[in-house]
Amino acid sequence: MRYLIVLEPGPDNWSAYAPDLPGVIAAAKDEQTTERLMREALALHLYEMAQDNDLVPAQTSTPEDYPDREASDVARMVEPAALNPVSLEVERALRATGKSLRQLSQEIGIAQPTLSRLQNPFYWGHSLASLRQLADALGVGLQVKFLDPAAY
């Protein structure tokens, strides 16, 4: 589903919001980074809503709904960023320990920035070796499956 975002330039940065999802905002130095961060914010917001069994709002706003915006503002329809299911599984496994990343890092010998990266839902660079190392350190199994695209 695509959502309208409105990007507004400022003197030193860009900011953005989604009219159909109040509270979803982003800001960055340039327009492209702001849009990327906004797509990620949309994805996380919608994911959390689904996890909480909240009703996900339909897209209703369009660029035509904002004819009075500033001439420098940009209104466009965007897809939320894709969430990596591997990262979401890593995050669930780490959360299940009930420990902070700092504690886990010290206990299992994996650097805290590495743990953070592995659970980042927009990180797509997981290696099987790093996932095996994490599973071994957590004392859990690791299963890899190829799925029919219709299954997810």
Side-chain angles (χ1 to χ4, degrees):
M1 183 176 315
R2 295 167 56 91
Y3 286 90
L4 174 69
I5 63 169
V6 179
L7 297 126
E8 301 173 327
D12 298 318
N13 70 340
W14 283 74
S15 61
Y17 65 95
D20 291 332
L21 295 164
V24 178
I25 60 171
K29 192 75 173 161
D30 58 65
E31 180 183 351
Q32 294 77 19
T33 304
T34 304
E35 181 177 329
R36 179 182 56 79
L37 292 174
M38 193 63 189
R39 292 179 65 239
E40 291 176 359
L42 287 168
L44 289 173
H45 185 78
L46 295 169
Y47 174 75
E48 290 298 325
M49 289 184 77
Q51 293 299 109
D52 293 341
N53 293 316
D54 292 338
L55 182 62
V56 174
Q59 169 272 321
T60 58
S61 299
T62 66
E64 294 76 29
D65 295 331
Y66 291 85
D68 296 333
R69 67 182 181 267
E70 297 290 324
S72 58
D73 291 355
V74 177
R76 68 172 60 111
M77 304 299 291
V78 298
E79 291 278 341
L83 296 172
N84 186 340
V86 173
S87 298
L88 298 174
E89 278 299 313
V90 168
E91 196 272 334
R92 276 192 276 279
L94 294 175
R95 190 173 351 122
T97 69
K99 298 178 181 178
S100 71
L101 285 182
R102 183 178 184 178
Q103 289 172 308
L104 285 169
S105 174
Q106 292 170 345
E107 287 179 19
I108 65 179
I110 298 175
Q112 189 172 341
T114 300
L115 289 176
S116 292
R117 183 178 60 245
L118 291 175
Q119 70 175 4
N120 178 333
F122 306 108
Y123 176 69
W124 293 84
H126 300 83
S127 70
L128 192 51
S130 66
L131 294 172
R132 279 188 185 139
Q133 180 186 6
L134 179 60
D136 290 346
L138 293 175
V140 298
L142 176 65
Q143 183 178 27
V144 177
K145 290 183 180 181
F146 290 98
L147 302 174
D148 179 344
Y152 60 96

